[in-house]
Amino acid sequence: MSTIPNPGDQRPLVGKVAIVTGASRGIGQAIAVRLAQMGAGIAAVATSAERCADTVAQCRAVGVPAEAFGVDVAESAAVDELVKRIAAQMGGVDILINNAGITRDGLLLRMSEEDFDRVVDVNLKGTFNFVKSAARLLMKVRGRIVNISSVVGITGNAGQVNYAASKAGVIGLTRSVAKELAGRGVTVNAIAPGYIETDMTAAIDPAAAAKLSEAIPLGRIGRADEIAAAVAFLVGPGGDYLTGQTIVVDGGLSL
Ligand code: NAP
């Protein structure tokens, strides 16, 4: 007889440990707190541990262990060291959420090599670094990986050649790692958010923001917790049989 998971279980991640990168604010903070509410211990990662103090406090407030860590996700050796430290300190790694990301927008003809390289290094290589460093740990526990891409990685966007390329790369990486790790029971999926209200989008001028909102079929900008809800689905019992997929959470923007 097969067992049907009980959807009434609100804390299906008790006893598991989740690494969330870019957890100091915005979407990453919402993801960390949501996974904590589901019972997971949280390793909150940003450019410095101090920047994650608020996230850690919010996670501890729901009764789970939570620790803050600082690293530049683009630095392979430092990431490798950090993943080992997190596993030793928190008792393993079951879930990896690659969310840290930056933009350095500009039209192609004016984009510097440095701005191209840095965005790809943080968004794409940063994801690779954590996936590679945590893969063995995740293989031991049939773990879960969720990579935060972007809808512009699918549609493209004028002024974001570097960012769109990095986010398209995250989708290709997700599909490839999903194939490599499926045999070990690890699922690997991506989420492609649309226009979400965070520090990252705060710089967009109000007139352009209003125009963007009008272009969204659901008629409004998204919230960070709406991306966290999709992550919660993928790492919870509902996500058992999904791998290599990209879930677009954009209010219909890309339709
Ligand atoms: P945000 O508010 O700007 O936060 C970015 C996070 O990434 C911060 O925690 C930041 O840490 C961390 N970070 C940046 N560079 C890092 C590095 N080199 N090493 C370690 N951590 C680093 O961004 P957000 O809007 O929440 O976006 C989160 C993710 O969603 C990003 O991957 C972004 O591309 C993606 N996304 C966002 C939107 C949107 O509309 N907001 C849409 C599609 C996709 P510090 O606080 O220490 O700087």
Side-chain angles (χ1 to χ4, degrees):
M1 197 178 75
S2 65
T3 317
I4 309 291
N6 177 4
D9 180 2
Q10 296 302 303
R11 288 171 65 86
L13 304 182
V14 168
K16 297 193 187 297
V17 171
I19 298 178
V20 182
T21 73
S24 55
R25 50 202 167 98
I27 292 170
Q29 182 176 57
I31 293 169
V33 174
R34 181 78 186 90
L35 300 192
Q37 289 165 348
M38 292 167 80
I42 302 295
V45 179
T47 55
S48 75
E50 295 71 42
R51 294 185 65 78
C52 291
D54 179 46
T55 302
V56 162
Q58 288 194 49
C59 293
R60 287 182 182 162
V62 299
V64 298
E67 300 294 339
F69 301 91
V71 79
D72 178 352
V73 297
E75 296 293 331
S76 311
V79 168
D80 210 40
E81 276 303 304
L82 179 67
V83 170
K84 285 190 187 115
R85 189 147 65 90
I86 290 171
Q89 202 171 319
M90 303 198 68
V93 177
D94 303 274
I95 295 164
L96 169 63
I97 314 295
N98 284 300
N99 164 82
I102 58 166
T103 53
R104 284 197 186 174
D105 296 350
L107 292 170
L108 171 69
L109 295 181
R110 280 191 233 131
M111 185 172 289
S112 68
E113 182 180 356
E114 195 212 337
D115 283 351
F116 184 88
D117 286 349
R118 183 62 185 158
V119 168
V120 171
D121 279 353
V122 173
N123 298 0
L124 178 56
K125 192 175 152 199
T127 300
F128 166 76
N129 286 340
F130 269 91
V131 167
K132 187 174 175 198
S133 295
R136 280 198 180 82
L137 294 162
L138 293 165
M139 281 170 1
K140 283 189 201 160
V141 294
R142 305 179 75 77
R144 304 276 169 97
I145 300 174
V146 179
N147 299 321
I148 305 301
S149 175
S150 167
V151 82
V152 308
I154 300 168
T155 62
N157 195 23
Q160 290 196 307
V161 164
N162 50 358
Y163 183 77
S166 73
K167 293 299 187 177
V170 166
I171 293 173
L173 179 150
T174 299
R175 288 170 174 267
S176 304
V177 179
K179 286 186 173 182
E180 287 196 26
L181 300 189
R184 303 299 291 268
V186 179
T187 70
V188 190
N189 292 288
I191 290 174
Y195 182 21
I196 310 298
E197 197 172 356
T198 67
D199 292 349
M200 187 176 270
T201 46
I204 299 175
D205 80 73
K211 220 172 144 201
L212 244 167
S213 301
E214 274 169 34
I216 300 170
L218 285 181
R220 64 175 176 83
I221 294 166
R223 299 187 312 268
D225 65 278
E226 291 170 320
I227 304 305
V231 175
F233 164 68
L234 287 172
V235 304
D240 281 354
Y241 199 55
L242 263 108
T243 198
Q245 302 305 306
T246 300
I247 300 183
V248 178
V249 184
D250 71 346
L253 178 63
S254 59
L255 288 174

